[in-house]
Amino acid sequence: MMMRRLSALALAGLLAGPLTGCGNLLERPLAPATYRIEPALPAPPGGAVALPLTLQVVRPLAATSYDTEQIAYRRQAYRLDNYTQSRWAEPPAEMLGNLMARALEDSGMYRVVLGPEARLPADLRLHTELTALEHVIHDASASQGSEVRLGMRMKLVETRTARVLASGSFEIVRPAFSTDAPGAVAAANEAAREAVERMIAFCREHTPR
């Protein structure tokens, strides 16, 4: 009789174990979805003649609110929030720096283009700062739903003399297809593509011939 009771208890324990494990698995919070800034780059112009210069794209700086993997959104003035279940794979400034270096290399304007991590001498350095990257969500009564705002400053410096050849800033606004993180990411990629195009035009205009 005692043996039957022990066997029944052991069987109950074996059956309960997997169920308890499944319960813990179901209760475990899901990891946030991660997104990248990697739009299709503009096609390089054919027949471009490279200048005999080396350009380095310095790692972009970022305003404190945007120097993070969090995806920022704004529903009201003076308040910035972050999506909790979605985030950038890397801080946006890092992704933008690598994107600009690749686009400038593909443009064929320079003999050599160095990325942010390079430790080699360069004739010119492109300094940039991400001043804004946020999803602006309008009131439901507004005619438009939401948009992404991307702001940058840039400065082209001649390394040997430390002379600033040119500086400037811009802000790009792109409508989002939805008022959630995926909509923000898609619009941010569109804005990043235009930012790269503007940066290439800036370098082309101000690089000494």
Side-chain angles (χ1 to χ4, degrees):
M1 186 71 175
M2 181 63 69
M3 290 299 293
R4 288 181 181 176
R5 185 176 301 171
L6 289 174
S7 298
L9 289 173
L11 180 60
L14 288 172
L15 292 174
L19 293 175
T20 304
C22 290
N24 291 337
L25 182 62
L26 293 173
E27 293 168 6
R28 191 175 304 161
L30 297 175
T34 56
Y35 297 94
R36 298 194 61 81
I37 297 176
E38 49 185 9
L41 295 175
V49 178
L51 296 169
L53 298 170
T54 298
L55 169 77
Q56 180 173 28
V57 179
V58 179
R59 183 193 184 280
L61 301 175
T64 303
S65 299
Y66 311 106
D67 193 17
T68 172
E69 290 90 355
Q70 294 178 313
I71 301 176
Y73 71 90
R74 187 187 299 275
R75 287 187 178 275
Q76 58 191 43
Y78 315 118
R79 174 172 172 172
L80 199 64
D81 294 298
N82 298 297
Y83 287 106
T84 58
Q85 293 303 312
S86 300
R87 59 193 302 111
W88 296 117
E90 301 172 58
E94 292 184 16
M95 292 189 283
L96 285 169
N98 292 325
L99 190 67
M100 287 186 290
R102 192 165 75 251
L104 283 164
E105 182 177 25
D106 291 345
S107 73
M109 279 196 295
Y110 301 98
R111 179 182 60 191
V112 177
V113 175
L114 302 174
E117 305 304 321
R119 295 292 183 267
L120 298 172
D123 301 301
L124 304 172
R125 286 195 168 89
L126 177 64
H127 297 263
T128 59
E129 180 184 2
L130 180 66
T131 57
L133 181 57
E134 58 189 48
H135 188 196
V136 182
I137 303 172
H138 299 288
D139 185 86
S141 61
S143 58
Q144 68 271 44
S146 67
E147 62 203 18
V148 162
R149 185 168 67 94
L150 187 156
M152 295 197 76
R153 294 193 188 103
M154 63 271 192
K155 181 170 61 176
L156 188 63
V157 177
E158 185 180 58
T159 307
R160 182 177 59 83
T161 62
R163 180 167 66 100
V164 177
L165 299 174
S167 62
S169 63
F170 59 80
E171 181 176 281
I172 299 169
V173 178
R174 281 287 170 268
F177 68 79
S178 63
T179 56
D180 55 9
V185 170
N189 272 273
E190 291 181 12
R193 176 186 168 90
E194 182 173 338
V196 168
E197 292 174 345
R198 292 197 187 191
M199 206 66 66
I200 291 174
F202 172 80
C203 291
R204 180 177 289 114
E205 179 181 356
H206 299 291
T207 295
R209 296 301 194 269

